[in-house]
């Protein structure tokens, strides 16, 4: 037998509060072959005993100890602690477990009626009486746990599932039009999956870290702030995991858009009187496709004063009932895509079956130019608005200032920061149209902000003089002009040319729209 003394404690009994006795608990190690094992067996065991867990009740069922853990001291293989001091009365020892240094149960006293109760002479519970000033020794028999489970000994179990999760980082931004820059914002956030709430709380004006379960395929996120449109987006498992904090990626950046409902502005047009100009790189600093310089004459036309805005393009998509993925059966080109709704930088979303502006870190406001538009989307928009895309020669003539041209390198100035949102001043996002200086004709943003599609197929220049050229009759790529908010000074020149696949779906470096109307 081994004495397992327990820290001294008194259990108050209102009837006999001043009369106590002492209980010393020792154990009898038993197994299927040997009913009682002496002290030396436990002493030489490789198991390191650290504590016992006991449950004890009074005769009337009042709980005295409920799985109370009692630490033991090891002295050369013998275990000691203080005896238990109890008020006089009748008690029952109902549970008894012996724990090792890893907090695992290594020996257990079986309960009466359990599958393993037959292994001991006296299964629990053991009834005993504490008498005044007497020491009572209790000797529960215990058996090795082995490969058994708690229910084998009559003990109840608790089952649980370990839910996998991951931490991702998120920040909400609003656009401060006064300082024309972003600022962090507070908001509420709700994340659901198939109607089950995965997370519901607040986010601060900081980079927030959110723990979310890792065993679902989609995360439906709703972020709300008074005075701003509610952000609603469904992230796939992999797309949200991209923002895990231990993957060294930037936080998920949510753009909250002002909720003011304003009418979609009509297009304003500038009349460009017909004229003749030298088309190409007159400064000798461009690329080979800007040569040879050649004489071009264009007839009068009208061109939109500003690039087409997000609000205007959204109005178009909703009016034609474009498919929610941005595709459409075009009357001229068949089944094509106008805008890639799945692209990560796309500033649009679908709300109640309609296209809406949700913003992105690259497109902060609905007054910014439409961007990430395919050539087919730009062509269709211009026809819907009663115009067409400009031919490349028309575009360059207008960008140079037409007949009022002062010969600037950029559209309206020789200092491109004055007229162009570019890689040095844009802070890597598009800006509302018309915020830089206009050119000689009063046209804005023909250098920088977003690239603009032209109607032409991309081709090399002809040295011969031309009148109203419309480009090659076929090709692989369409012409883009004007450069964007990530462009350098060479790209923002009025002579610079760019070719791109008409299906180009990239918002980050994407194309926008400027409308032309023929006067005749």
């Amino acid at each position: 037998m081994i004495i397992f003394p327990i820290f001294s404690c008194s259990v108050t009994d209102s009837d006999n509060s001043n009369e106590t006795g002492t209980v010393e608990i020792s154990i009898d190690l038993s197994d299927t072959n040997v009913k009682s094992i002496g002290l030396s067996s436990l002493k030489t065991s490789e198991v390191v005993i650290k504590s016992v867990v006991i449950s004890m009740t009074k005769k009337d069922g009042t709980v005295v100890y409920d799985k109370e853990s009692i630490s033991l001291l090891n002295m050369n293989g013998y275990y000691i602690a203080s005896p238990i001091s109890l008020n006089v009365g009748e008690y029952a020892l109902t549970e008894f477990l012996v724990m090792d240094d890893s907090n695992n149960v290594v020996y257990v006293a079986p309960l009466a009626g359990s599958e393993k109760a037959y292994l001991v002479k006296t299964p629990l519970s053991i009834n005993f009486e504490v008498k005044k000033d007497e020491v009572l020794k209790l000797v529960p028999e215990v058996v090795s746990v082995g490969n058994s489970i708690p229910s084998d000994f009559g003990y109840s179990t608790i089952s649980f599932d370990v839910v996998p999760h991951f931490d991702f980082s998120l920040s909400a931004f609003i656009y401060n039009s006064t300082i024309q820059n972003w600022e962090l914002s507070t908001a509420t956030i709700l994340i659901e999956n198939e109607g089950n709430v995965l997370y519901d709380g607040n986010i601060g004006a900081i980079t927030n870290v959110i723990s979310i379960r890792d065993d679902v395929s989609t995360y439906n996120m709703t972020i709300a702030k008074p005075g701003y449109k509610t952000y609603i987006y469904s992230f796939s498992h992999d797309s949200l995991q991209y923002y895990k904090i231990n993957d060294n990626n930037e936080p998920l950046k949510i753009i909250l858009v002002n909720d003011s409902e304003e009418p979609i502005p009509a297009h304003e047009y500038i009349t460009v009187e017909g004229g003749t100009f030298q088309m190409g790189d007159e400064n000798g600093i461009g690329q080979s496709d800007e040569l040879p310089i050649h004489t071009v004459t264009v007839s009068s036309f009208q061109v939109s004063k500003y690039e087409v805005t997000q609000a205007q393009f959204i109005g178009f998509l909703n009016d034609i009932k474009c498919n929610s993925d941005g595709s459409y059966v075009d009357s001229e080109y068949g089944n094509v895509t106008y805008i890639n709704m799945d692209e990560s930088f796309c500033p649009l979303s679908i709300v109640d079956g309609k296209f809406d502006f949700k913003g992105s870190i690259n497109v902060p406001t609905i007054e910014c130019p439409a961007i990430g538009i395919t050539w087919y989307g730009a062509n269709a928009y211009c026809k819907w608005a009663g115009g067409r895309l400009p031919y490349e020669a028309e575009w360059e003539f207008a960008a140079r200032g037409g007949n009022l041209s002062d010969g600037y390198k950029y559209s309206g100035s020789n200092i491109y920061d004055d007229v162009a949102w570019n890689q040095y001043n844009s802070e890597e996002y598009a800006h509302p149209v018309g915020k830089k200086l206009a050119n000689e004709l009063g046209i804005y943003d023909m250098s920088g902000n977003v690239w603009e599609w032209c109607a032409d197929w991309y081709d090399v220049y002809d040295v011969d003089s031309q009148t109203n050229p419309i480009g090659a009759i076929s090709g692989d790529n369409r012409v883009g002009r004007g450069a964007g908010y990530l462009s350098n000074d060479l790209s923002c020149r009025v002579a610079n040319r760019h070719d791109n696949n008409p299906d180009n779906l990239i918002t980050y470096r994407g194309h926008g729209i400027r409308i032309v109307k023929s006067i005749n």
Side-chain angles (χ1 to χ4, degrees), residues 268-320:
E268 298 180 54
Y269 291 92
I270 299 293
T271 297
V272 181
E273 299 293 343
T276 300
F277 72 106
Q278 296 300 300
M279 187 172 181
D281 175 28
E282 293 182 302
N283 298 304
I285 59 175
Q287 301 180 66
S288 60
D289 65 349
E290 299 171 25
L291 297 173
I293 299 172
H294 54 292
T295 302
V296 174
T297 300
V298 296
S299 301
S300 299
F301 59 94
Q302 289 185 315
V303 63
S304 56
K305 184 176 183 179
Y306 306 106
E307 293 165 322
V308 173
T309 66
Q310 292 285 331
Q312 291 166 332
F313 193 72
I314 289 170
F316 157 70
L317 293 175
N318 287 327
D319 185 65
I320 66 170

Side-chain angles (χ1 to χ4, degrees), residues 224-237:
K225 180 180 178 68
Y228 291 80
K229 291 183 178 181
T230 300
Y231 175 94
I232 300 173
Y233 194 76
S234 180
F235 290 87
S236 69
H237 176 272

Side-chain angles (χ1 to χ4, degrees), residues 44 69 89 96 136 149 182 210 238 258 314 337 379 388 493:
T44 59
S69 178
F96 190 84
L136 175 68
I149 60 176
W182 297 102
I210 295 176
D238 290 344
N258 196 293
I314 289 170
T337 297
N379 181 66
R388 57 176 173 82
R493 293 174 302 110

Side-chain angles (χ1 to χ4, degrees), residues 374-396:
T374 68
W375 184 89
Y376 301 107
N379 181 66
Y381 180 89
C382 290
K383 292 193 297 182
W384 174 81
R388 57 176 173 82
L389 283 171
Y391 291 110
E392 185 177 16
E394 291 174 325
W395 189 97
E396 185 169 325

